[in-house]
Amino acid sequence: MIDAKTLDADIQQLLKLIDRQFGIQADDLASAMKKIGRRLPKSAHKNAAILVEAQTQARNPKIAIQMDERPLKAPYRALLRAIEAYDRKDARVGAILGTLGGLAFNLIVLLIILVAVLKWRGFV
């Protein structure tokens, strides 16, 4: 049997961790994961979906009696590890470096085109 109160407490703990790591305040795990988007891998989103489904089913007393709590421990731990592993500073640095890399590539291509046009027109 699954206890809805302990599952809700675990999910609230995840929501507090999401608020601390991502700065996202949400009332439920589904909306928090939607706001997180691609910052977490697909496996984390799948684990969150498993927990959200279990939370929904645990609110129904007849279904909660039939459910087992043991299969939910692995998705909970995996989601907890994925959230804890996220580094805001590293993600920010990666985004900046990606933007600068794209800008540098575009400038190089522009320079090559400029030299080609100048050669074609006979200025160089």
Side-chain angles (χ1 to χ4, degrees), residues 41-54:
K42 282 186 178 182
S43 61
H45 285 277
K46 288 178 184 176
N47 290 329
I50 291 169
L51 292 175
V52 168
E53 181 68 27

Side-chain angles (χ1 to χ4, degrees), residues 40-108:
L40 284 180
K42 282 186 178 182
S43 61
H45 285 277
K46 288 178 184 176
N47 290 329
I50 291 169
L51 292 175
V52 168
E53 181 68 27
Q55 186 182 27
T56 304
Q57 290 176 352
R59 291 192 179 128
N60 185 335
K62 289 183 180 180
I63 297 175
I65 291 173
Q66 298 172 1
M67 292 178 62
D68 189 16
E69 197 169 328
R70 282 178 267 148
L72 298 177
K73 290 181 182 180
Y76 173 76
R77 279 181 270 153
L79 182 59
L80 188 65
R81 281 192 306 267
I83 293 170
E84 287 175 345
Y86 181 76
D87 186 15
R88 275 178 132 170
K89 185 177 178 182
D90 185 46
R92 192 176 303 124
V93 168
I96 290 170
L97 288 176
T99 302
L100 290 176
L103 182 64
F105 176 77
N106 289 336
L107 287 174
I108 290 170

Side-chain angles (χ1 to χ4, degrees), residues 8-27:
D8 287 339
D10 288 343
I11 290 178
Q12 287 303 317
Q13 182 183 4
L14 286 173
L15 290 174
K16 287 178 186 176
L17 185 61
I18 288 172
D19 184 26
R20 189 175 70 219
Q21 291 290 96
F22 296 97
I24 294 173
Q25 295 178 352
D27 295 331

